[in-house]
């Protein structure tokens, strides 16, 4: 690979709510007393309006902020919880990010290695790629998975330019070692005994992959300064490091205490975290386990010091709201038969023709800017909204998704159906011009005020439960 | 050059059903109830009605679409019937059609009837409605109270009002309407309440509590209009004529553009200005005897009194708390209880407002009767503060 090829940027996103594990244990330990031993720390919990697609969009926005991905050739979205089995999930992300139609997209799935496999593929391809990995993980109530899992996403921009990290080499081992599985007809994972997973799985398969990696690259494992291996089993990662010859101090925090394991996204979440903290010259080894192992070795370059700050994992962790209501978690994940009321019955349909014609507006939050008078407007009409202008077909595309805004009016509505009442919404005015009545998300009760700064976020507007469709749109969220 | 409709059309008769939770009645029964009263008042036969306008907003809910339900229910003799719908301003829209038909000379006698059967949803508040395929994809998840509640947030910010002062004025508005509604045998809600009741009620959409919201009711109202000459020929002596009917409809400026700050109704200001001009009224605070405005929510009434030019901008709280709009005040507002207590069957509401003005002007308002009213003004609003239909009617003594 050329010297100017590698990871150009990184981004991360974690949902704001952090479910307290002691709340999970308090609700479930009557049934599963063993959970008490896991009742420490917190896990990232997707809001009701978040899924792998929306979280991938946020991580990707963070990744490309300040560096529009001109010349992007492909977008890969890795997840085992893609909202659609047949509809290219990556295409939704691409539309939300205004990546244009001249683009190769790929949904990668089927393994906890999906994120690293997508990254290896992008790095091997040579072109400019955006790799996003996201997971909205479901687990049965009172299961250990419910404790260990977390929701989140990471994104990496790969291509030529000023890489912050160059790939030295990668190695993949494929072994049909089934430590857990989820068939296509099931909502939840089924896992085997942890001791077997540790002894026969992680401690044998991962060191073998790392050994092959170090052998192929000629790098001494002791030189690795950051070792990223997602695993929530106790004592496994230091054990792997020891067997692989990696120094114990290089083992990175797997974020179990503050985020949980974000599945197929987690290796990239940990890599994004490492990149945010790495110094030029650092060596980052990343491994991901699941029916074998992917192992990648990166060298951090001088450019890491000049990359404009990202929100990254630390920023996402700081944007935190403690959640102690376990029932809300169950309800958000549709794990209890909540009486949602008659207002939830309204069927708004899913007219795919309408969505297609207006996909840039709805998925991309693209409005118009009048060439005649400069007025910004959302949505764009055939005639300019400025009464002094009213010019016909005078508007160029104007994306509002990155535009900062302020609250102009708002309410907290307890009447309208919301999965998380009261529904906050109001008029937001974009600082550069234009305004819209928008749903709010991630707001704190009683903390909304006129004039409050907001940013737009790509979210689930509604679930079409009659047809199993997910309707996405943009919402306003507090910008800090 | 258009001259407007001042004094060109007279009200020959009006009728209004009892509003409320009419569990034992279909929409058709309510239509008949209003129509029977109206026909008796008008003193004509069915065959003399030459055209009809039928207002119903959420027709999927009850009678169905088109003019057919009206013609079928009232057995109208193969006359033109037009169904109209313009959000909650539907009732006034039906009235406007009938008035314009007479004013144009196309017909001598026309009927306007509005009806809504809201209490067949199984829940409180207005029914959930679709908003159109594309609108459903991007409109915020707004309810009626949620959209109007935002007036309060914007009004507070603009005029630097203490939220408690605004809430207290809103409470006074609701208490006043309950007082008025208690005297109205056709009103949905006839109980009296206190300001503390309003202040302490469960929150619906911040800062609107339960008692800041109007009744959701079943009901029907109707009017028969004709020319002043024909009305006199039919034996009417004290004529009530139409002074103005004006409508202003949002075009996107509020929600997409411009200086609108969310604290008032841009449409109402335009429609009111046009209505005063059409009616030849220069100083409405001196000339209008009474108002029935679209008090779907207490805060709507408060800002509307500024939009109509009666209270100065930012000063409505003072007028409200001073009792200016109370039944005993200088210009009573919602003397029949308003939407708040008479109720709000959407298609009927605009006509119900005119009905109260008509009763007052003809001295038939019973316990609510005001001494010597000359001009009555109604304001019937549909939609949301950011995009709406504002409909204004002024009726009064003929020639006044």
């Amino acid at each position: 690979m050329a010297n100017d090829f590698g990871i150009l940027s990184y981004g991360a996103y974690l949902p704001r709510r952090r479910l307290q594990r002691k709340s999970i244990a308090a609700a479930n330990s009557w049934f599963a007393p063993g959970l008490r031993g896991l009742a420490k720390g917190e896990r990232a919990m997707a809001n009701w309006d978040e899924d792998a697609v929306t979280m991938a969009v946020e991580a990707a926005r963070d990744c490309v902020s300040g560096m529009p991905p001109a010349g992007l050739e492909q977008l890969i979205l890795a997840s085992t919880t893609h909202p659609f089995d047949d509809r290219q999930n990556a295409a939704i992300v691409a539309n939300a990010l205004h990546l244009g139609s001249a683009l190769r997209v790929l949904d990668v799935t089927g393994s906890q290695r999906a994120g690293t496999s997508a990254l290896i593929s992008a790095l091997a391809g040579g072109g400019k790629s955006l790799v996003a990995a996201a997971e909205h993980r479901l687990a049965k109530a009172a299961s250990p998975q419910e404790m260990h899992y977390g929701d989140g996403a990471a994104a990496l921009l790969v291509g030529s330019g000023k890489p912050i990290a160059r790939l030295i080499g990668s190695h993949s081992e494929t072994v049909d070692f089934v430590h857990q599985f989820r068939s296509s007809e099931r909502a939840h994972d089924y896992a085997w005994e942890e001791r077997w997973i540790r002894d026969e799985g992680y401690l044998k398969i991962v060191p073998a992959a790392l050994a092959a990696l170090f052998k192929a690259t000629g790098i001494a494992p002791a030189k690795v300064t950051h070792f990223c291996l997602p695993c929530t089993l106790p004592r496994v990662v230091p054990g792997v490091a020891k067997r692989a010859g990696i120094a114990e101090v290089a083992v990175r925090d797997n974020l179990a205490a503050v985020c949980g394991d974000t599945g197929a996204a987690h290796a990239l979440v940990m890599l994004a975290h490492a990149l945010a903290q790495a110094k030029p010259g650092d060596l980052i080894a990343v491994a991901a386990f699941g029916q074998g192992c992917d192992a990648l070795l990166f060298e951090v370059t001088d450019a890491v010091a000049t990359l404009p700050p990202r929100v990254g994992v630390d920023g996402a962790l700081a944007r935190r709201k403690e959640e102690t209501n376990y029932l809300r978690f169950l309800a958000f994940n549709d794990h209890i038969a909540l009486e949602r009321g008659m207002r939830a019955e309204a069927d708004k349909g899913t007219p795919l023709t309408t969505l297609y014609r207006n996909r840039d507006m709805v998925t991309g939050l693209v409005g118009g800017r009048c060439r005649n008078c400069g007025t910004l407007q959302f949505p764009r009409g055939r005639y300019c909204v400025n009464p002094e202008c009213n010019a016909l077909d005078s508007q160029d595309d104007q994306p509002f998704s990155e535009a900062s805004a302020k609250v102009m009016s708002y309410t907290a509505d307890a009447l309208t159906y919301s999965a998380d009442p009261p529904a906050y919404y109001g008029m937001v005015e974009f600082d550069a011009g234009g305004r819209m009545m928008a749903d709010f998300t991630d707001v704190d009760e009683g903390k909304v005020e006129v004039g409050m700064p907001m940013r737009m976020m790509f979210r689930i507007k509604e679930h079409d439960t009659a047809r199993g469709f997910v309707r996405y749109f943009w919402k306003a969220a507090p910008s800090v | 050059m258009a001259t407007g409709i001042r004094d060109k059309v007279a009200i020959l008769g009006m009728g209004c059903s009892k509003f409320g939770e009419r569990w034992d009645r279909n929409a058709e029964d309510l239509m008949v109830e209003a129509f029977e009263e109206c026909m008796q008042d008008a003193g004509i036969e069915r065959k003399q009605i030459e055209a009809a306008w039928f207002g119903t907003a959420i027709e999927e809910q009850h009678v169905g679409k088109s003019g057919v339900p009206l013609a079928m229910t009232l057995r109208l003799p193969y006359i033109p019937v037009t169904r109209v719908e313009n959000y909650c301003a539907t009732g006034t829209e039906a009235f406007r059609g009938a008035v314009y038909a007479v004013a144009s000379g196309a017909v001598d006698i026309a009927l306007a009837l509005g009806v809504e059967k809201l209490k067949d949803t199984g829940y409180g508040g207005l029914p959930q409605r679709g908003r159109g395929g594309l609108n459903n994809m991007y409109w915020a998840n707004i309810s009626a109270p949620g959209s109007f509640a935002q007036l309060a947030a914007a009004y507070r910010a603009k005029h630097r009002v203490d939220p408690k002062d605004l809430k207290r004025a809103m409470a006074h508005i609701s208490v006043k309407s309950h007082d008025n509604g208690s005297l109205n045998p056709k009103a949905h809600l006839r109980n009296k309440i206190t300001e503390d009741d309003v202040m302490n009620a469960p929150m619906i959409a911040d800062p609107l509590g339960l008692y800041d919201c109007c009744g959701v009711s079943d009901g029907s109202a109707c009017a028969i209009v004709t020319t002043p000459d024909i009305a006199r020929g039919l034996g009417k002596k004290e004529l009530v004529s139409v002074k103005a009917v004006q409508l202003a409809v949002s075009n996107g400026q509020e929600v997409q553009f411009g200086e609108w700050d969310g604290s008032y109704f841009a449409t109402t200001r335009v429609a009111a200005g046009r209505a005063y001009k059409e009616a030849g009224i220069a100083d409405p605070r001196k000339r209008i005897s009474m108002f029935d405005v679209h008090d779907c929510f207490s805060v709507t009434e408060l800002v509307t009194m500024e939009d109509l030019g009666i209270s100065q901008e930012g000063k409505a709280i003072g007028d409200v708390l001073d009792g200016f709009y109370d039944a005993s005040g200088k210009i009573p507002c919602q003397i029949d209880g308003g939407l708040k207590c008479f109720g709000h069957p959407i298609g009927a509401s605009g006509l119900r407002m005119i009905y109260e003005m008509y009763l007052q002007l003809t001295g038939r308002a019973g316990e609510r009767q005001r001494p010597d009213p000359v001009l009555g003004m109604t304001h019937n609003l549909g939609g949301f503060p950011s995009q709406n239909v504002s409909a204004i009617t002024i009726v009064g003594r003929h020639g006044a």
Side-chain angles (χ1 to χ4, degrees):
Chain A
M1 269 318 153
N3 215 28
D4 69 344
F5 184 84
I7 294 174
L8 300 173
S9 177
Y10 64 88
Y13 177 78
L14 302 172
R16 185 164 173 257
R17 283 182 202 269
R18 309 295 151 74
L19 180 62
Q20 302 303 299
R21 292 199 177 93
K22 64 178 187 294
S23 304
I24 304 176
N28 289 316
S29 57
W30 67 273
F31 182 79
L35 294 178
R36 285 199 197 98
L38 302 173
K40 289 184 285 286
E42 58 193 27
R43 49 154 297 173
M45 160 188 163
N47 204 340
W48 73 268
D49 58 357
E50 297 186 289
D51 64 12
V53 162
T54 67
M55 290 188 282
V57 169
E58 288 306 323
R61 289 173 76 193
D62 184 34
C63 178
V64 302
S65 76
M67 43 198 314
L72 191 73
E73 290 169 36
Q74 80 171 339
L75 168 70
I76 310 180
L77 177 59
S79 178
T80 72
T81 50
H82 288 300
F84 288 93
D85 283 346
D86 186 356
R87 176 194 182 187
Q88 190 97 50
N89 297 280
I92 307 170
V93 176
N95 207 164
L97 297 173
H98 318 115
L99 297 180
S101 61
L103 185 74
R104 203 164 61 241
V105 294
L106 198 60
D107 287 339
V108 177
T109 187
S111 162
Q112 296 299 297
R113 282 196 285 153
T116 46
S117 300
L119 180 59
I120 289 170
S121 162
L123 287 162
K128 194 166 192 177
S129 301
L130 184 57
V131 177
E135 205 87 281
H136 176 204
R137 306 189 80 184
L138 295 181
K140 283 182 179 169
S143 66
Q145 288 94 336
E146 188 179 42
M147 285 288 196
H148 293 313
Y149 287 179
D151 303 322
L156 296 158
L157 185 63
V158 170
S160 299
K162 286 188 194 162
I164 57 171
R166 276 189 293 267
L167 182 72
I168 301 170
S170 71
H171 180 83
S172 294
E173 292 278 327
T174 296
V175 183
D176 192 21
F177 180 91
V178 188
H179 69 295
Q180 66 178 52
F181 65 90
R182 183 172 83 245
S183 75
S184 54
E185 69 219 21
R186 296 294 174 92
H188 303 109
D189 299 331
Y190 187 91
W192 209 254
E193 189 186 356
E194 290 182 357
R195 295 175 60 81
W196 176 70
I197 297 168
R198 181 188 66 197
D199 295 345
E200 289 295 302
Y202 278 96
L203 289 176
K204 287 189 176 167
I205 295 171
V206 181
L210 287 167
L213 174 71
F214 292 126
K215 189 177 177 195
T217 55
I219 300 284
K223 289 189 172 174
V224 168
T225 44
H226 303 269
F227 178 45
C228 307
L229 172 63
C231 179
T232 48
L233 299 178
R235 295 182 305 279
V236 166
V237 183
V240 168
K242 192 173 180 186
R243 289 183 185 210
I246 296 171
E248 195 171 346
V249 292
V251 173
R252 289 196 60 88
D253 175 14
N254 63 8
L255 306 169
V258 289
C259 164
D261 184 340
T262 62
H266 207 62
L268 302 196
V269 168
M270 290 182 70
L271 173 57
H273 198 208
L275 286 167
Q277 295 171 348
K279 297 183 299 294
D282 280 359
L283 292 179
I284 302 175
V286 182
F289 176 79
Q291 292 76 62
C293 179
D294 286 330
L296 302 90
L297 188 60
F298 295 96
E299 180 184 17
V300 178
T301 74
D302 292 345
V304 79
T306 53
L307 182 75
R310 320 272 95 184
V311 174
V313 173
D314 286 327
L317 284 171
R319 188 179 170 273
R320 169 184 177 274
K321 180 186 174 73
E322 189 172 299
E323 178 61 76
T324 55
N325 188 342
Y326 175 69
L327 278 175
R328 180 183 273 128
F329 171 75
L330 291 186
F332 279 12
N333 289 300
D334 210 11
H335 278 170
I336 48 172
L338 202 65
E339 172 52 64
R340 295 179 189 273
M342 288 182 179
R343 288 181 185 277
E345 294 170 6
D347 182 2
K348 295 176 183 170
T350 291
L352 296 173
T353 40
T354 313
L355 176 60
Y356 178 65
R357 281 195 303 277
N358 300 283
R359 61 193 181 281
D360 288 343
M361 169 192 156
V362 174
T363 310
L365 200 68
V366 174
R369 182 186 181 282
C370 181
R371 287 185 296 277
N372 196 39
C373 70
T375 298
L376 271 55
Q377 47 209 286
F378 184 89
R380 65 195 277 180
R382 294 291 300 280
Y383 293 107
C384 173
V385 70
N386 177 357
E388 305 300 318
C389 175
N390 286 163
L392 174 65
D393 293 337
S394 63
Q395 295 169 56
D396 292 327
D397 282 352
Q398 176 71 38
F400 284 89
S401 48
E402 301 302 329
S404 59
K406 289 190 179 64
V407 173
M408 194 176 121
S409 64
Y410 72 94
T411 189
D413 188 338
L415 182 72
T416 195
Y417 170 70
S418 166
D420 188 23
Y424 277 86
Y425 53 83
M427 188 81 101
V428 295
E429 185 142 45
F430 294 102
D431 297 331
R435 53 169 65 165
M436 65 182 289
M437 186 73 77
D439 288 318
F440 295 173
T441 191
D442 288 354
V443 297
D444 290 330
E445 196 150 2
K447 294 282 174 63
V448 181
E449 266 313 323
V450 171
M452 187 163 111
M454 305 292 271
R455 73 185 284 265
M456 303 308 291
M457 295 184 90
F458 188 69
R459 292 295 177 103
I460 295 169
K461 177 154 178 53
E462 279 152 346
H463 292 280
D464 177 352
T465 51
R467 296 161 197 85
F469 197 73
V470 187
R471 302 194 196 99
Y472 297 99
F473 189 55
W474 294 78
K475 299 180 184 179
S479 59
V480 283
Chain B
M1 184 66 186
T3 54
I5 57 158
R6 181 181 176 185
D7 285 340
K8 290 177 181 171
V9 177
I11 296 175
L12 191 58
M14 289 200 77
C16 185
S17 76
K18 172 157 176 50
F19 282 14
E21 292 169 330
R22 303 291 305 270
W23 306 120
D24 59 342
R25 290 286 182 267
N26 291 318
E28 288 78 0
D29 300 316
L30 303 173
M31 290 154 72
V32 169
E33 195 175 315
F35 183 66
E36 280 298 305
E37 181 189 347
C38 185
M39 288 293 280
Q40 281 212 343
D41 182 27
I44 59 169
E45 291 175 51
R46 183 184 269 101
K47 67 183 180 194
Q48 291 174 269
I49 300 169
E50 293 169 82
W53 274 259
F54 178 45
T56 171
I58 310 178
E59 76 297 329
E60 294 84 352
Q61 202 78 28
H62 50 117
V63 293
K65 295 173 188 282
S66 91
V68 169
L70 185 74
M72 296 278 281
T73 302
L74 304 184
R75 307 297 187 203
L76 298 175
Y78 290 125
I79 61 168
V81 181
T82 305
R83 182 200 155 226
V84 295
E85 187 276 317
N86 225 347
Y87 284 157
C88 293
T90 294
T92 303
E93 192 63 282
F95 184 72
R96 181 164 163 269
V99 164
Y100 277 16
V102 168
S104 75
V107 301
D108 285 336
I109 297 178
L111 166 74
L113 185 145
V115 66
E116 213 75 46
K117 179 77 191 159
L118 291 177
K119 294 307 300 177
D120 280 349
T121 58
Y123 53 81
L126 291 178
Q128 289 295 125
R129 282 172 281 178
R131 282 149 178 165
L134 180 57
N135 292 340
N136 280 336
M137 291 178 187
Y138 82 94
W139 278 24
N141 183 23
I142 47 179
S143 70
S147 68
F148 284 86
Q150 294 175 56
L151 285 168
Y155 189 94
R156 286 194 309 246
K158 180 182 188 180
H159 298 295
R160 299 172 193 279
V161 175
D162 186 322
K164 288 198 197 82
D165 292 341
L166 180 59
K167 182 83 180 169
R168 174 85 41 200
M170 287 156 55
H172 185 98
I173 285 171
S174 295
V175 170
K176 171 263 299 167
S177 292
H178 273 265
D179 283 348
N180 294 348
S182 72
L183 298 177
N184 188 344
K186 287 187 176 177
H188 179 171
L189 303 170
R190 301 197 62 197
N191 60 319
K192 293 193 179 198
I193 59 170
T194 66
E195 286 185 11
D196 283 345
D197 291 338
V198 185
M199 306 284 277
N200 299 324
M203 197 59 82
I204 303 296
D206 185 44
L208 301 179
L210 182 64
Y211 288 119
D212 290 298
C213 306
C214 74
V216 172
S217 325
D218 304 327
S220 176
C222 80
I224 293 175
V225 293
T226 186
T227 66
D229 286 346
I230 293 170
R232 279 196 204 89
L234 288 167
K236 295 282 169 185
K237 295 199 169 63
E238 305 254 313
L239 290 193
V240 173
S241 60
V242 180
K243 309 294 182 183
V245 183
Q246 286 294 338
L247 213 71
V249 178
S250 294
N251 59 23
Q253 282 185 59
E254 300 102 303
V255 75
Q256 287 185 279
F257 176 74
E259 292 166 1
W260 184 70
D261 56 24
S263 73
Y264 64 96
F265 293 89
T267 50
T268 295
R269 294 183 177 190
V270 172
R274 278 197 213 123
Y276 293 138
K277 190 172 174 218
E278 185 169 42
I281 294 169
D283 185 353
R285 189 163 164 130
K286 287 212 174 80
R287 300 249 350 250
I288 304 287
S289 315
M290 60 209 167
F291 288 94
D292 236 302
V293 302
H294 199 87
D295 57 332
C296 49
F297 303 98
S298 55
V299 71
T300 320
E301 179 173 331
L302 185 128
V303 306
T304 295
M305 300 324 292
E306 295 180 9
D307 294 335
L308 297 178
I310 308 304
S311 288
Q312 284 178 8
E313 207 180 321
K315 306 285 187 202
I317 289 177
D319 281 343
V320 164
L321 292 174
D322 289 346
F324 185 85
Y325 299 113
D326 292 356
S328 57
K330 190 89 176 154
I331 311 185
C333 190
Q334 323 305 76
I335 192 135
D336 59 352
L339 299 173
K340 175 76 194 77
C341 292
F342 204 138
H344 186 23
I346 300 173
S349 284
L351 284 157
R352 182 273 303 164
M353 297 172 181
I354 299 167
Y355 175 74
E356 176 68 11
M357 300 295 105
Y358 175 74
L359 291 183
Q360 291 281 349
L361 289 162
T362 53
R364 289 187 274 167
E367 283 187 84
R368 308 184 305 284
Q369 184 64 46
R370 289 279 299 173
D372 270 343
V374 179
L375 291 172
M377 181 159 171
T378 70
H379 158 266
N380 185 199
L381 185 86
F384 313 99
S386 55
Q387 50 192 97
N388 60 73
V389 177
S390 187
I392 284 171
T393 305
I394 302 174
V395 295
R397 290 190 189 157
H398 188 61

